[in-house]
Amino acid sequence: MQHWEATDARRRHMARFGRRDTAPELALRRTLHARGLRFFVDRRLSTATRCRADLVFPRARIAVFVDGCFWHYCDEHTHLPKANAELWRAKLLANRQRDAHHDAVLRREGWKVLRVWEHEVVEEAADRVERELDLWRRIATNTRAS
C-alpha cells in the first residue's frame, strides 16, 4: 500500500473538513432510523486498523461505510483536478487501497462490510443494509433454535 504524505499546510487545511455527518451519510441514517433500525455512528471496530465505520450494527457485526465519490475514487464520478493530476491520481488510488486493506482486516475479524457510494439512491442503499440485517437475524434465530 502506497503511503501518501501531505504537507503541514495541506494537513491543517484538510483538518477543517468534517469526516462524519456528510449529507449522504445523514440521509442513510435518517432512512434506516425511520425503518426502526438502531446503530452506532462513527465507531472504531478493530485494534488492527484505524478505520471507523460510519454506521455499526455490533450484534450483527455489520459495518457500513458511506464513501464519497471523489475521495474514494468512484469509477463513475471522479474527475481528477487538472492541477497536479498525477499526484491526485496516486492519492486517490492509495485511498482505494487503504479501503480494501481495512475491508480485508474487518472481514478477517468476522465483520460484514458494506460500502455505499454517495451517488446511490438512499432507499436502495437502506434496502441493502436491511437485507443483510434480515439475513443475520434468520441465521441467528436458526442457530439459537438448534
Side-chain angles (χ1 to χ4, degrees), residues 75-88:
D75 290 329
E76 295 179 46
H77 299 108
T78 296
H79 298 286
L80 294 174
K82 289 186 180 11
N84 295 318
E86 191 50 42
L87 173 107
W88 278 106

Side-chain angles (χ1 to χ4, degrees), residues 56-85:
V56 179
F57 299 88
R59 287 189 61 212
R61 294 188 67 79
I62 295 175
V64 181
F65 294 87
V66 182
D67 293 341
C69 289
F70 179 77
W71 290 111
H72 296 270
Y73 208 19
C74 166
D75 290 329
E76 295 179 46
H77 299 108
T78 296
H79 298 286
L80 294 174
K82 289 186 180 11
N84 295 318

Side-chain angles (χ1 to χ4, degrees), residues 21-50:
D21 299 335
T22 63
E25 182 185 334
L26 290 173
L28 181 60
R29 283 172 23 196
R30 272 192 300 274
T31 302
L32 291 172
H33 198 271
R35 293 180 182 191
L37 300 175
R38 301 300 179 255
F39 43 83
F40 290 95
V41 175
D42 189 38
R43 187 175 243 203
R44 189 169 174 189
L45 305 173
S46 170
T47 57
T49 178
R50 289 181 30 191

